[in-house]
């Protein structure tokens, strides 16, 4: 925001020069981007008046003028198209020095002498360009020093405010801040209620009170919109970067800059019935003041009458109902809009206005009536007219509530490392405009209506540090009690999982939580992801219900860049809709494709398969210390290959609970995601995976092992797990190891059966087992397998 230092000093008089003022407000968090003089460096320019104007005898585009400075009359040759008799202008007399060290001397133009120069704004450094002479009001005192008359010994200060400091987007807010920092009194213009002269009141219907909790309006009749805006107002607007348009618009802009309350003036004769504050209706359109036609969405708040929309609330008025040179009666509007409702609406239509900039950040919800009275007085003084009563419609239940904040003295000392005197804390809080009450351990502070960024205790502590001075805070090494965190032995940490995955040759990936809905549908067609209200793009518009939706595109990206062997894993949340609301489930996902091993001279190029990935998963599960509590069950998943899919279960409290899924992507799914290589994917529930068994010591046996190898012929479709489970049930308590080391199908075996080669190892903890004991166990196992599974020894 740009503001005039002179305007600020009309409100508050800090004992500081410009540089000290700039330094102080910058150190307090209101960063100053720069300063610049409001006019160029010039001297010898006075207010002049054209007495006569004649055509130059030898030039069609030059005028021969007689100009007075109040004491003498000078002959001036001028080429400006707007020079005319009676015009008051800046007059640079002989000896004057204009910006750029341009000295005015007596000159001869086309044979006619000229004793000075009539000036345009650009020639005095008041603007970048100009079309003609700068025209001064008829009341300008002829002969007065132009710099003094225009108060040009002034500086424009450009402050870059953070979004939370919308309260400083006005001279009133900046004056409050300056008075606070310099302990100076703040005195703005006296604002007294303007008594109604007429009884006319507008019909106001606030249909959306949650979006517009307060709407203040007033009718003013008989206004002269052709009146001239006073020079002091034009200059204040110009120095704030706002162009003068007409007196009514200038006054509403002035109120916005002075008090921070955006206002709008409607041509009352163009309003049908009354005002309705409502959400936009389907298909309606509005032509804005800048000529742009918009079609607002149903989430856009509109100011309308009983037949049509008039303005996009908080952003810009409509062209049809705006003030024109034929306007006689006004309807003034000042409102408080919910910042959430206004946020983003201007940008959605390629707009950014001073009003939207303020409403998005928050406007004082108690300011509208005060702004209405101030604007009314200015309009009556400049344009005349007859005001009606002020209509203030407020929905108290939807208006913001003043925050009550508990500030603890001990907390101040802990965070700032500084002990404040009680009186100093109370003084700073009082200067911040807060109502302060002492409590047993500190204070209770009630934030003023304009400080909507004050909500919690750290906000007050930050204000204390800011006002006290960041550069005055003590510099010391922070101290904090940092006891070692208790790590439960039965927890498998995410860091452990990551280290294990990296050790297995996987690379960690971090993908977005919002994904392409088409990718989501292909990989998890049974669940509809939560759609974002304001997505970054259509390709990132739903929340992921599984982590594959991020890993699969990442794999495709690498494959297209000549990386045929990809191993990725990711830990993160997936977002699953349910009857109880959106569940956020911590998840581990893995993906593998390409060759089993990195290319090297000693290994053949063999593609990774289901069992390679299963081995990686088993290694991960073994880290929990209870691999026997997990099982892989052949099952079906809508996104996975029907012959290469396994559901992974975990035994919890005697019941098998689903832990996750693994398998190869279904061929149709691979077509949808446009990847030709076979992808193997895994997804595990981290909350179940991280539960581990506490290790317990068991003494190692010093006695020899006894091993027997069995070749069993079983039904071709029988799961090996079923065979192993039956063997364990009959092999006795001393069975130490059981492993499958070969599967054979082919010559010598019934086509409907297969041969399993199994190794069984027994070991006793305190003695050597006898051959007879081992043989008895083998016989028991074989007998049981034949009875239950129809298994036989291979001949």
């Amino acid at each position: 925001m740009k503001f005039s230092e002179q305007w600020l000093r009309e409100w508050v008089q800090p004992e500081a020069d410009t540089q000290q003022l700039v330094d102080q407000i910058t150190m307090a968090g209101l960063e100053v981007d720069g300063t610049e003089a409001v006019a160029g460096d010039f001297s010898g320019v006075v207010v002049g008046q054209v007495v006569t104007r004649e055509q130059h005898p030898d030039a069609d585009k030059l005028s021969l003028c007689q100009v007075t400075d109040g004491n003498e009359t000078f002959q001036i040759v001028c080429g400006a198209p707007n020079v005319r008799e009676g015009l008051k202008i800046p007059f640079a007399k002989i000896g004057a020095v204009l910006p750029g060290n341009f000295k005015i001397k007596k000159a001869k133009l086309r044979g006619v002498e000229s004793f000075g120069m009539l000036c345009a704004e650009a020639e005095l450094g008041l603007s970048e360009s100009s079309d003609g002479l700068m025209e001064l009001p008829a009341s300008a005192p002829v002969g007065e020093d132009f710099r003094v008359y225009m108060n040009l010994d002034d500086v424009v200060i450009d402050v870059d405010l953070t979004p939370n400091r919308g309260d400083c987007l006005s001279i009133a807010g900046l004056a409050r801040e300056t008075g606070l920092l310099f302990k100076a009194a703040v005195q703005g213009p006296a604002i007294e209620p303007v008594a109604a002269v007429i009884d006319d009141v507008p019909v106001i219907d606030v249909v959306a009170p949650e979006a517009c909790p307060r709407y203040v309006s007033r009718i003013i009749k008989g206004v002269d919109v052709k009146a001239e805006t006073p020079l002091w107002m034009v200059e204040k607007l110009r120095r704030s970067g706002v162009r003068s348009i007409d007196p009514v618009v200038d006054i509403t802009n002035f109120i916005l800059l002075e008090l921070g309350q955006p206002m709008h003036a409607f041509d009352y004769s163009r309003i049908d019935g009354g005002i309705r504050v409502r959400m936009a209706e389907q298909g309606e359109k509005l032509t804005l003041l800048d000529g742009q036609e918009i079609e607002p969405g149903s989430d856009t708040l509109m100011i309308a009458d009983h037949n049509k929309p008039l303005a996009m609330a908080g952003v810009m008025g409509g062209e049809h109902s705006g003030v024109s040179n034929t306007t006689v009666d006004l309807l003034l509007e000042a409102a408080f809009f919910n910042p959430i409702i206004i946020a983003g609406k201007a940008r959605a239509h390629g707009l950014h206005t001073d009003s939207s900039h303020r409403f998005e950040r928050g406007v004082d919800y108690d300011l509208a009536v005060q702004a209405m009275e101030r604007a009314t007085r200015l309009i009556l003084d400049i344009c005349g007219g007859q005001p009606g009563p002020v209509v203030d419609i407020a929905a108290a239940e939807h208006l913001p509530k003043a925050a009550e904040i508990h500030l603890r003295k001990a907390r101040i000392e802990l965070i700032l490392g500084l002990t404040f005197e009680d009186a100093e804390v109370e003084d700073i809080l009082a200067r911040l405009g807060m109502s302060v009450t002492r409590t047993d351990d500190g204070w209770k502070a009630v934030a003023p209506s304009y400080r909507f960024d004050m909500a919690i205790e750290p906000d007050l502590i930050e204000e204390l540090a800011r006002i006290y001075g960041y550069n005055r805070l003590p510099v010391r090494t922070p101290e904090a009690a940092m006891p070692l965190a208790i790590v439960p032995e039965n927890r498998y940490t995410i860091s452990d999982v990551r280290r294990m995955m990296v050790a297995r040759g996987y690379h960690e990936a971090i993908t977005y939580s919002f994904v392409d809905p088409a990718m989501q549908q292909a990989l998890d067609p049974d669940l509809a992801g939560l759609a974002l209200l304001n997505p970054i793009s259509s390709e990132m518009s739903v929340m992921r219900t599984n982590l594959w939706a991020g890993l699969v595109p990442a794999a495709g990206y690498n494959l297209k860049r000549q990386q045929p062997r990809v191993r990725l894993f990711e830990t993160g949340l997936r977002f699953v809709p349910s009857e109880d609301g959106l569940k956020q489930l911590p998840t581990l996902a893995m993906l593998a494709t390409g060759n089993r091993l990195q290319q090297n001279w000693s290994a053949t190029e063999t593609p990774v398969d289901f069992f390679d990935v299963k081995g990686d998963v088993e290694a991960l599960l073994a880290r929990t210390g209870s691999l026997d509590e997990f099982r892989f069950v052949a099952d079906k998943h809508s996104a996975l290959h029907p012959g290469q899919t396994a559901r992974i279960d975990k035994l919890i409290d005697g019941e098998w609970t689903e832990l996750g899924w693994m398998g190869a992507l279904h061929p149709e799914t691979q077509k949808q995601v446009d990847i030709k290589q076979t992808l193997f994917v895994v997804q595990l529930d981290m909350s179940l995976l991280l539960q581990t068994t506490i290790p317990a010591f068991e003494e190692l046996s010093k006695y020899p092992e006894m091993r027997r190898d069995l070749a069993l012929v079983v039904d071709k479709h029988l799961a090996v797990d079923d065979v192993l489970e039956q063997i364990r049930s009959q092999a006795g308590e001393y069975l130490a190891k059981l492993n499958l080391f070969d599967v054979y199908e082919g010559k010598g075996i019934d086509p409907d059966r297969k041969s399993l080669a199994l190794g069984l190892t027994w070991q006793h903890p305190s003695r050597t087992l006898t051959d007879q004991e081992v043989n008895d166990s083998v016989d028991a196992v074989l007998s049981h397998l034949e009875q239950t599974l129809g298994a036989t020894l291979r001949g």
Side-chain angles (χ1 to χ4, degrees), residues 174-481:
L174 290 167
R176 281 194 302 262
E177 194 73 10
T178 303
L180 169 65
L181 297 172
F182 288 92
K183 297 185 178 181
V186 178
Q187 184 63 51
I191 301 177
E192 300 292 339
V194 178
V197 176
I198 58 177
D199 296 329
D200 299 59
V201 294
V203 176
I204 307 295
D205 182 14
V206 180
V207 181
E210 67 285 352
C212 177
R214 167 162 277 155
Y215 192 86
V216 178
S217 60
R218 175 177 237 167
I219 293 173
I220 303 179
K221 289 192 168 183
V223 174
D224 179 11
V225 296
K226 297 179 181 178
E228 185 177 2
T229 303
L231 180 64
W232 62 266
M233 183 177 288
V234 173
E235 273 300 293
K236 286 180 176 178
L237 294 175
R238 182 184 72 82
R239 297 176 196 190
S240 298
V242 178
R243 180 174 59 90
S244 174
I245 298 174
D246 64 54
V248 174
V249 175
D250 290 348
I251 288 168
T252 58
N253 285 335
F254 179 80
I255 297 300
L256 176 140
L257 294 171
E258 183 184 59
L259 301 180
Q261 172 67 58
M263 297 187 68
H264 187 66
F266 295 101
D267 186 331
Y268 186 53
S269 65
R270 299 191 176 189
I271 296 175
D272 296 331
I275 294 292
R276 299 185 74 238
V277 184
R278 57 167 174 79
M279 307 308 291
E281 296 175 350
Q282 185 67 32
E284 73 178 357
K285 296 181 180 180
L286 172 67
T287 301
L288 300 175
L289 286 169
D290 64 355
Q292 176 183 349
E293 184 179 72
I294 64 167
E295 185 172 345
S298 59
D299 60 344
T300 302
L301 184 66
M302 305 296 290
I303 309 299
D305 59 21
H306 286 80
N307 293 321
K308 61 187 177 300
L310 303 176
M312 183 158 58
V315 179
M316 186 180 289
E319 185 177 60
H320 171 77
S321 60
V323 174
S324 67
N325 57 8
T326 61
T327 299
V328 176
D329 301 332
L330 300 177
L331 173 64
L332 281 184
E333 163 198 278
F336 171 77
F337 300 120
N338 186 332
I340 301 300
I341 296 297
I342 304 301
K345 298 303 183 295
R347 291 189 298 277
H349 298 284
L351 299 171
H352 181 268
T353 65
D354 288 335
S355 293
S356 67
H357 187 76
R358 285 160 175 79
F359 278 125
E360 287 179 345
R361 286 154 177 77
V363 170
D364 184 353
Y365 54 88
D366 279 342
L367 183 60
V369 173
Q370 183 183 13
M372 180 63 69
E373 298 291 3
R374 174 71 165 150
T376 302
R377 174 48 58 199
L378 289 172
I379 289 174
L380 297 182
D381 290 346
I382 297 170
C383 305
Q386 296 178 308
V390 173
V391 178
D392 180 9
I393 298 178
E397 67 275 16
H398 295 297
L399 282 170
K401 303 296 187 293
E404 293 187 4
I405 307 169
H406 181 203
L407 177 62
R408 293 166 291 177
K409 186 174 182 180
R411 197 68 179 170
I412 299 173
E413 297 176 2
L414 176 63
I415 294 178
L416 300 183
L418 178 67
T419 301
F420 280 92
E421 295 292 335
D422 291 356
E424 186 171 14
V425 172
E426 293 169 7
D427 175 61
I428 292 176
L429 295 179
R431 285 190 282 134
L432 283 165
M434 299 193 175
S435 172
V436 183
T437 306
R438 286 208 181 196
T439 62
D440 293 338
D441 59 348
W443 300 268
K444 183 181 77 172
V446 180
S449 59
Y450 53 82
R451 287 307 299 269
F452 29 80
D453 59 322
M454 296 286 101
I456 58 177
E457 185 180 40
D459 294 334
L460 293 186
I461 295 175
E462 179 187 7
E463 288 298 289
L464 291 175
R466 193 173 66 85
I467 304 307
Y468 180 78
Y470 294 127
N471 55 333
R472 296 174 59 197
L473 294 176
V475 178
R476 70 179 188 183
T477 304
E479 297 179 5

Side-chain angles (χ1 to χ4, degrees), residues 7 26-27 44 81 168 220 329 429 446 459 485 510 545 552 584 592 602 657 752 760:
W7 193 4
T26 296
M27 286 302 298
C168 288
I220 303 179
D329 301 332
L429 295 179
V446 180
D459 294 334
I510 300 175
T545 60
V552 169
Q584 302 184 48
S602 65
T657 302
D752 294 329
L760 290 76

